Amino acid sequence: LVGAGATTFLERGQGEKNVAATADYFITRAAALPLFLSLGFDSLTASIFGTFVASVPYEVVKWQARQKRKLETEDQLLEELRLEKQNRKKNRWGQPPAKQIMIVDVGQLEEVSSNSFDAPEIISDVVIWLEYAVLQSNFGDVSIFSQYALVLQPAIFGILAALSSQLYMDALYQFTDWGPADKSAEARTRTLQQGLAVYGSKSLNAATLFGVYELVRKPTGMLITNLLSGGVEGCVGSTEYDVCIETYKYDY
């Protein structure tokens, strides 16, 4: 939740929907991972399955946000069309018909109503979560930056996952018709400068999200475990509190 909130300031208007979606993802994954481990799966397999399960509520929240935004856009365009028709009626006798130009683009309204399913975005979302989970499972114990490994390593894994996911999304937009027409057109006509801005923004968001997430995950998980397991209550007042609390620790 903290990591999702941090990215709100980098999303420029899209962060609010991502906060709820990302929070749902992490909560669901935190519940699914122990379940798959208890069923006998190894950590990598459990992480992959947990990622797929957690992606469901994540995509549902984003789909609801897209539907809400679509309805708001339709209402806005319909209101503009209604006001324009009223103005045309008022000007019917005072202005020649040739000069009455339609300002509202009716085709834009039809385009908004036609396609709300965004397959490339869904695939891209799954790729970034899945790739980060695989990188963290395989290389999370390898200390690349010994002093700042807790923040920098997840941030680097997040950047790699974000770049890969953006490549998949761009390829699907450019070479298929699975996504909305406006996004496909934007991907096909994007300049080099615009592409660098998109990839840079996506990398920065991912680095912030995963870096902050890993920074608070273990301390928060440890605190909750100590409280629920009775570690804090059992060790309060002990002269060797740190040694005592070690007996309640769980590997996160």
Side-chain angles (χ1 to χ4, degrees), residues 11 15 23 31 43 123 135 137 199 217 220 226:
E11 291 282 350
S43 59
I123 295 172
L135 288 171
S137 296
Y199 280 80
R217 180 176 66 93
T220 304
N226 290 338

Side-chain angles (χ1 to χ4, degrees), residues 136-212:
Q136 187 65 20
S137 296
N138 289 337
F139 305 106
D141 295 332
V142 180
S143 296
I144 303 175
F145 303 96
S146 57
Q147 188 176 1
Y148 305 103
L150 187 61
V151 177
L152 286 183
Q153 217 160 285
I156 292 173
F157 292 161
I159 290 174
L160 293 175
L163 292 175
S164 178
S165 116
Q166 187 65 40
L167 285 171
Y168 274 102
M169 184 162 60
D170 285 346
L172 290 172
Y173 279 142
Q174 292 179 18
F175 302 113
T176 70
D177 295 324
W178 295 356
D182 57 335
K183 290 187 177 181
S184 297
E186 189 276 332
R188 291 166 184 168
T189 59
R190 185 187 300 154
T191 64
L192 177 60
Q193 184 178 3
Q194 291 171 336
L196 292 175
V198 169
Y199 280 80
S201 175
K202 189 80 175 278
S203 299
L204 181 59
N205 291 338
T208 303
L209 172 63
F210 291 111
V212 175

Side-chain angles (χ1 to χ4, degrees), residues 75-175:
D75 291 340
Q76 181 182 356
L77 291 173
L78 288 172
E79 179 65 16
E80 292 177 358
L81 184 61
R82 184 184 66 81
L83 292 175
E84 185 172 341
K85 286 183 177 180
Q86 288 182 350
N87 292 333
R88 288 168 64 88
K89 288 181 180 179
K90 291 179 181 178
N91 297 332
R92 182 177 299 173
W93 302 108
Q95 184 179 16
K99 295 184 179 180
Q100 295 182 4
I101 302 173
M102 181 68 72
I103 300 175
V104 177
D105 186 0
V106 181
Q108 185 179 0
L109 179 60
E110 295 175 351
E111 182 178 329
V112 170
S113 305
S114 63
N115 192 359
S116 62
F117 183 71
D118 195 346
E121 183 177 343
I122 294 174
I123 295 172
S124 173
D125 289 338
V126 174
V127 167
I128 191 172
W129 297 123
L130 188 59
E131 186 163 338
Y132 178 80
V134 172
L135 288 171
Q136 187 65 20
S137 296
N138 289 337
F139 305 106
D141 295 332
V142 180
S143 296
I144 303 175
F145 303 96
S146 57
Q147 188 176 1
Y148 305 103
L150 187 61
V151 177
L152 286 183
Q153 217 160 285
I156 292 173
F157 292 161
I159 290 174
L160 293 175
L163 292 175
S164 178
S165 116
Q166 187 65 40
L167 285 171
Y168 274 102
M169 184 162 60
D170 285 346
L172 290 172
Y173 279 142
Q174 292 179 18
F175 302 113

Side-chain angles (χ1 to χ4, degrees), residues 34 37 218 221-222 225-226 245-252:
L37 289 173
K218 287 189 177 182
M222 194 68 252
T225 298
N226 290 338
I245 208 71
E246 285 282 345
T247 62
Y248 294 89
K249 281 191 175 180
Y250 178 78
D251 185 14
Y252 287 89

Side-chain angles (χ1 to χ4, degrees), residues 211-228:
V212 175
Y213 165 67
E214 292 294 343
L215 181 64
V216 301
R217 180 176 66 93
K218 287 189 177 182
T220 304
M222 194 68 252
L223 176 62
I224 294 173
T225 298
N226 290 338
L227 290 172
L228 295 179

